[in-house]
Amino acid sequence: MRQEQRLAALKEACLQVHARTKKIAGTARGNRQMGRGAGGDISRRIDLVAEKTVIDVLRRRGLDATIIGEECGRLEGKNGYVIMDAIDGTTNASRRIPFYCCSLAYATDFKLSVVTDAAIIDLVNGDLYYASKGKGAFCNGKRIRVKEAGDDIVMGMNVSKIGPDVASKLAPVMARADHVRVFGAVALELCYLARGLIDASIDLRGKIRPTDIAAAYLIVKEGGGKIYSDGKELESDLDIRTRLSFVAVAQDNVLHYLGMAY
Protein backbone atom coordinates (compact mmCIF):
# COMPACT_ATOMS: atom_id res chain seq x y z
CA MET A 1 0.00 0.00 0.00
CA ARG A 2 1.32 3.45 -0.95
CA GLN A 3 1.98 6.10 1.66
CA GLU A 4 -0.86 8.32 0.51
CA GLN A 5 -3.25 5.37 0.79
CA ARG A 6 -2.08 4.63 4.33
CA LEU A 7 -2.57 8.23 5.39
CA ALA A 8 -6.00 8.33 3.77
CA ALA A 9 -7.00 5.23 5.75
CA LEU A 10 -5.86 6.79 9.03
CA LYS A 11 -7.70 10.02 8.26
CA GLU A 12 -10.92 8.19 7.37
CA ALA A 13 -10.72 6.16 10.57
CA CYS A 14 -10.37 9.36 12.60
CA LEU A 15 -13.36 10.93 10.85
CA GLN A 16 -15.49 7.83 11.45
CA VAL A 17 -14.59 7.81 15.15
CA HIS A 18 -15.70 11.44 15.35
CA ALA A 19 -19.02 10.58 13.70
CA ARG A 20 -19.71 7.51 15.85
CA THR A 21 -18.73 8.84 19.27
CA LYS A 22 -19.99 12.42 19.35
CA LYS A 23 -23.45 11.43 20.57
CA ILE A 24 -22.26 9.12 23.36
CA ALA A 25 -19.44 11.19 24.87
CA GLY A 26 -20.36 12.13 28.43
CA THR A 27 -23.48 9.95 28.48
CA ALA A 28 -24.24 7.07 30.81
CA ARG A 29 -24.11 4.72 27.84
CA GLY A 30 -20.74 5.97 26.66
CA ASN A 31 -19.27 5.99 30.18
CA ARG A 32 -20.28 2.43 31.04
CA GLN A 33 -17.24 0.56 32.34
CA MET A 34 -16.40 -2.56 30.31
CA GLY A 35 -13.51 -4.07 32.26
CA ARG A 36 -9.84 -3.31 31.77
CA GLY A 37 -8.03 -3.01 28.46
CA ALA A 38 -4.64 -4.40 27.54
CA GLY A 39 -2.97 -1.24 28.82
CA GLY A 40 -4.36 -1.82 32.31
CA ASP A 41 -6.80 1.12 32.44
CA ILE A 42 -10.57 0.83 32.77
CA SER A 43 -12.23 0.60 29.35
CA ARG A 44 -15.42 2.56 28.80
CA ARG A 45 -17.93 1.82 26.07
CA ILE A 46 -16.83 4.90 24.13
CA ASP A 47 -13.26 3.50 24.04
CA LEU A 48 -14.47 0.20 22.61
CA VAL A 49 -16.78 1.84 20.05
CA ALA A 50 -13.93 4.04 18.86
CA GLU A 51 -11.43 1.20 18.70
CA LYS A 52 -13.78 -1.09 16.76
CA THR A 53 -14.47 1.75 14.34
CA VAL A 54 -10.75 2.22 13.66
CA ILE A 55 -10.13 -1.49 13.16
CA ASP A 56 -13.11 -1.87 10.82
CA VAL A 57 -12.05 1.09 8.65
CA LEU A 58 -8.43 -0.02 8.41
CA ARG A 59 -9.32 -3.59 7.48
CA ARG A 60 -11.88 -2.42 4.92
CA ARG A 61 -9.25 -0.15 3.42
CA GLY A 62 -6.87 -3.09 3.11
CA LEU A 63 -4.31 -1.83 5.62
CA ASP A 64 -3.12 -5.20 6.92
CA ALA A 65 -0.83 -3.96 9.68
CA THR A 66 -0.32 -5.21 13.22
CA ILE A 67 -2.56 -2.98 15.35
CA ILE A 68 -1.40 -1.93 18.80
CA GLY A 69 -4.08 -0.39 21.02
CA GLU A 70 -4.73 0.34 24.66
CA GLU A 71 -7.91 -1.74 24.73
CA CYS A 72 -7.26 -4.51 22.21
CA GLY A 73 -3.56 -5.01 22.94
CA ARG A 74 -1.94 -6.41 19.80
CA LEU A 75 -3.79 -7.66 16.72
CA GLU A 76 -1.35 -9.31 14.33
CA GLY A 77 -1.05 -8.19 10.72
CA LYS A 78 1.48 -8.58 7.93
CA ASN A 79 2.77 -5.13 6.97
CA GLY A 80 3.96 -2.56 9.48
CA TYR A 81 2.26 -1.31 12.63
CA VAL A 82 -0.69 0.92 13.42
CA ILE A 83 -0.37 2.53 16.86
CA MET A 84 -3.83 3.45 18.10
CA ASP A 85 -5.23 5.51 20.93
CA ALA A 86 -8.83 5.49 19.80
CA ILE A 87 -9.84 7.90 22.60
CA ASP A 88 -7.05 9.94 24.15
CA GLY A 89 -8.46 11.89 27.08
CA THR A 90 -11.21 9.46 28.07
CA THR A 91 -11.69 11.17 31.44
CA ASN A 92 -12.30 14.47 29.66
CA ALA A 93 -14.75 12.76 27.31
CA SER A 94 -16.60 11.11 30.22
CA ARG A 95 -17.01 14.50 31.96
CA ARG A 96 -17.77 16.43 28.75
CA ILE A 97 -14.61 18.47 29.18
CA PRO A 98 -14.04 19.53 25.54
CA PHE A 99 -10.49 18.27 25.02
CA TYR A 100 -10.08 14.71 23.74
CA CYS A 101 -9.09 13.08 20.46
CA CYS A 102 -8.47 9.96 18.39
CA SER A 103 -4.79 9.33 17.62
CA LEU A 104 -3.48 6.96 14.91
CA ALA A 105 0.02 6.36 13.54
CA TYR A 106 1.61 3.98 11.05
CA ALA A 107 5.20 2.74 11.49
CA THR A 108 7.26 0.51 9.24
CA ASP A 109 9.10 -1.00 12.23
CA PHE A 110 8.57 -1.38 15.96
CA LYS A 111 9.90 2.02 17.10
CA LEU A 112 8.87 5.67 17.18
CA SER A 113 11.55 6.97 14.83
CA VAL A 114 10.09 5.07 11.88
CA VAL A 115 6.54 6.39 12.20
CA THR A 116 5.79 7.52 8.65
CA ASP A 117 2.14 8.61 8.79
CA ALA A 118 -0.10 10.07 11.48
CA ALA A 119 -3.62 11.41 11.93
CA ILE A 120 -5.24 12.92 15.02
CA ILE A 121 -8.77 14.31 15.19
CA ASP A 122 -10.11 16.68 17.83
CA LEU A 123 -13.29 14.81 18.72
CA VAL A 124 -14.99 17.99 19.93
CA ASN A 125 -14.62 20.36 16.99
CA GLY A 126 -13.51 17.94 14.24
CA ASP A 127 -10.12 19.55 13.55
CA LEU A 128 -8.06 16.95 11.68
CA TYR A 129 -4.28 17.01 12.11
CA TYR A 130 -2.06 14.81 9.95
CA ALA A 131 1.45 14.32 8.65
CA SER A 132 3.58 12.06 6.50
CA LYS A 133 7.32 11.84 7.05
CA GLY A 134 9.20 14.48 5.09
CA LYS A 135 6.01 16.16 3.84
CA GLY A 136 5.09 18.55 6.66
CA ALA A 137 2.25 18.75 9.17
CA PHE A 138 -1.29 19.94 8.44
CA CYS A 139 -4.55 20.85 10.11
CA ASN A 140 -7.69 20.76 8.00
CA GLY A 141 -5.58 20.92 4.85
CA LYS A 142 -3.46 23.92 5.89
CA ARG A 143 0.24 23.65 6.68
CA ILE A 144 1.06 24.18 10.36
CA ARG A 145 4.32 25.14 12.07
CA VAL A 146 5.49 25.56 15.64
CA LYS A 147 5.72 29.03 17.12
CA GLU A 148 8.82 31.07 16.35
CA ALA A 149 11.31 31.82 19.13
CA GLY A 150 10.09 34.35 21.68
CA ASP A 151 9.18 34.94 25.30
CA ASP A 152 5.82 34.72 27.14
CA ILE A 153 6.06 30.92 27.27
CA VAL A 154 2.85 28.88 27.41
CA MET A 155 3.52 25.34 28.60
CA GLY A 156 1.31 22.25 28.82
CA MET A 157 2.15 19.90 31.69
CA ASN A 158 0.67 16.76 33.24
CA VAL A 159 1.10 16.74 37.01
CA SER A 160 -1.47 14.06 37.88
CA LYS A 161 -0.28 11.85 40.73
CA ILE A 162 3.30 13.09 40.57
CA GLY A 163 5.65 11.97 43.32
CA PRO A 164 7.84 14.29 45.38
CA ASP A 165 10.93 13.63 43.22
CA VAL A 166 9.18 14.70 40.02
CA ALA A 167 7.53 17.61 41.81
CA SER A 168 10.95 18.92 42.88
CA LYS A 169 12.17 18.74 39.27
CA LEU A 170 9.12 20.53 37.93
CA ALA A 171 8.87 23.29 40.53
CA PRO A 172 11.65 25.50 39.05
CA VAL A 173 10.37 24.88 35.51
CA MET A 174 6.86 25.94 36.48
CA ALA A 175 8.27 28.99 38.21
CA ARG A 176 9.98 30.10 34.98
CA ALA A 177 7.04 29.46 32.65
CA ASP A 178 4.78 32.45 32.05
CA HIS A 179 1.65 30.29 31.73
CA VAL A 180 1.04 26.62 32.66
CA ARG A 181 -1.88 24.58 31.34
CA VAL A 182 -3.09 21.06 32.15
CA PHE A 183 -5.10 19.78 29.18
CA GLY A 184 -5.68 16.06 29.83
CA ALA A 185 -5.06 14.61 26.35
CA VAL A 186 -1.39 14.51 25.42
CA ALA A 187 -1.81 13.80 21.69
CA LEU A 188 -4.05 16.82 21.17
CA GLU A 189 -1.83 18.95 23.40
CA LEU A 190 1.12 18.12 21.17
CA CYS A 191 -0.94 19.09 18.12
CA TYR A 192 -1.40 22.48 19.78
CA LEU A 193 2.38 22.68 20.01
CA ALA A 194 2.79 21.78 16.33
CA ARG A 195 0.17 24.39 15.43
CA GLY A 196 1.97 27.17 17.32
CA LEU A 197 -0.64 27.58 20.07
CA ILE A 198 1.70 26.58 22.92
CA ASP A 199 5.48 26.58 23.29
CA ALA A 200 6.17 23.41 25.28
CA SER A 201 4.58 20.18 26.49
CA ILE A 202 6.17 18.30 29.39
CA ASP A 203 5.40 15.00 31.10
CA LEU A 204 8.11 13.65 33.44
CA ARG A 205 5.96 11.11 35.30
CA GLY A 206 7.23 8.07 33.40
CA LYS A 207 3.65 7.04 32.59
CA ILE A 208 3.19 7.91 28.91
CA ARG A 209 2.66 4.99 26.53
CA PRO A 210 3.81 4.88 22.89
CA THR A 211 0.13 4.70 21.94
CA ASP A 212 -0.35 8.12 23.57
CA ILE A 213 2.39 9.84 21.64
CA ALA A 214 3.21 8.01 18.39
CA ALA A 215 1.04 10.06 16.03
CA ALA A 216 1.77 13.37 17.75
CA TYR A 217 5.49 12.58 17.67
CA LEU A 218 5.48 12.76 13.87
CA ILE A 219 3.14 15.75 13.69
CA VAL A 220 5.35 17.75 16.07
CA LYS A 221 8.53 16.87 14.20
CA GLU A 222 7.00 17.64 10.81
CA GLY A 223 5.80 20.93 12.26
CA GLY A 224 9.37 21.82 13.20
CA GLY A 225 9.28 20.96 16.90
CA LYS A 226 11.66 18.92 19.05
CA ILE A 227 10.92 16.03 21.43
CA TYR A 228 13.45 14.89 24.02
CA SER A 229 13.70 12.27 26.76
CA ASP A 230 16.51 11.64 29.23
CA GLY A 231 18.72 14.26 27.63
CA LYS A 232 18.47 13.07 24.04
CA GLU A 233 15.97 12.91 21.20
CA LEU A 234 13.03 10.73 22.11
CA GLU A 235 13.13 7.13 20.89
CA SER A 236 11.08 4.20 22.11
CA ASP A 237 9.71 0.85 21.08
CA LEU A 238 5.96 0.61 20.49
CA ASP A 239 5.10 -1.97 23.15
CA ILE A 240 1.88 -1.31 25.09
CA ARG A 241 3.80 -1.99 28.32
CA THR A 242 6.47 0.66 27.65
CA ARG A 243 6.33 3.85 29.73
CA LEU A 244 8.26 7.04 29.04
CA SER A 245 8.71 10.71 29.86
CA PHE A 246 9.22 13.53 27.37
CA VAL A 247 9.88 17.21 26.91
CA ALA A 248 8.55 18.70 23.66
CA VAL A 249 9.35 22.26 22.63
CA ALA A 250 8.76 24.52 19.67
CA GLN A 251 12.35 25.75 19.70
CA ASP A 252 15.44 24.76 21.70
CA ASN A 253 15.60 28.24 23.20
CA VAL A 254 12.44 27.36 25.14
CA LEU A 255 14.48 24.78 27.07
CA HIS A 256 16.95 27.46 28.09
CA TYR A 257 14.13 29.82 29.03
CA LEU A 258 12.68 27.13 31.30
CA GLY A 259 16.09 26.30 32.78
CA MET A 260 16.15 22.77 31.39
CA ALA A 261 19.47 21.30 30.26
CA TYR A 262 18.95 19.14 27.14
Side-chain angles (χ1 to χ4, degrees):
M1 177 177 285
R2 297 193 306 273
Q3 187 176 45
E4 59 268 25
Q5 292 175 311
R6 294 196 302 263
L7 181 60
L10 299 182
K11 290 163 67 176
E12 182 187 343
C14 282
L15 291 167
Q16 288 297 319
V17 169
H18 182 226
R20 296 181 187 180
T21 61
K22 60 185 177 182
K23 290 184 178 180
I24 63 173
T27 67
R29 179 183 171 216
N31 291 344
R32 182 181 176 186
Q33 295 185 3
M34 308 293 288
R36 291 190 180 272
D41 293 336
I42 292 173
S43 298
R44 300 181 186 273
R45 182 179 293 278
I46 191 172
D47 294 307
L48 300 182
V49 168
E51 196 168 82
K52 184 179 185 302
T53 298
V54 171
I55 294 168
D56 288 349
V57 170
L58 297 185
R59 295 311 190 214
R60 174 170 53 79
R61 281 273 193 159
L63 184 50
D64 187 14
T66 294
I67 298 175
I68 300 169
E70 293 189 9
E71 317 307 327
C72 68
R74 181 177 174 126
L75 303 177
E76 294 296 335
K78 296 178 180 179
N79 298 301
Y81 301 86
V82 169
I83 309 95
M84 168 176 61
D85 194 351
I87 301 286
D88 178 37
T90 301
T91 299
N92 283 354
S94 70
R95 302 291 185 96
R96 292 185 178 174
I97 298 170
F99 199 88
Y100 51 97
C101 66
C102 174
S103 173
L104 304 174
Y106 177 86
T108 55
D109 204 348
F110 199 60
K111 55 186 180 180
L112 274 177
S113 61
V114 292
V115 171
T116 61
D117 306 282
I120 295 173
I121 192 166
D122 183 328
L123 291 173
V124 178
N125 62 23
D127 281 346
L128 181 61
Y129 300 85
Y130 54 92
S132 287
K133 198 167 188 175
K135 298 182 179 180
F138 298 82
C139 177
N140 300 331
K142 295 181 179 180
R143 186 78 178 261
I144 57 175
R145 292 284 301 176
V146 296
K147 188 174 179 292
E148 293 299 322
D151 52 13
D152 196 34
I153 298 299
V154 180
M155 175 177 68
M157 177 181 287
N158 195 326
V159 294
S160 302
K161 292 187 175 180
I162 59 171
D165 291 344
V166 176
S168 66
K169 292 179 182 178
L170 289 177
V173 178
M174 295 174 72
R176 286 174 174 265
D178 299 288
H179 312 277
V180 178
R181 303 288 183 263
V182 179
F183 291 104
V186 65
L188 189 54
E189 179 178 315
L190 286 167
C191 286
Y192 275 30
L193 174 66
R195 193 175 178 177
L197 303 181
I198 63 174
D199 303 276
S201 174
I202 298 175
D203 194 323
L204 301 182
R205 300 173 302 149
K207 295 182 179 181
I208 292 295
R209 301 181 179 94
T211 49
D212 297 319
I213 201 173
Y217 167 92
L218 181 64
I219 290 171
V220 166
K221 297 195 77 164
E222 287 295 319
K226 309 288 185 65
I227 308 182
Y228 298 102
S229 184
D230 297 324
K232 55 184 181 295
E233 287 196 27
L234 175 63
E235 177 63 292
S236 170
D237 61 44
L238 302 176
D239 196 290
I240 193 70
R241 296 164 295 185
T242 295
R243 299 292 185 272
L244 52 88
S245 296
F246 73 89
V247 175
V249 292
Q251 310 287 342
D252 280 335
N253 76 300
V254 175
L255 292 172
H256 302 301
Y257 188 96
L258 297 173
M260 304 186 76
Y262 273 83

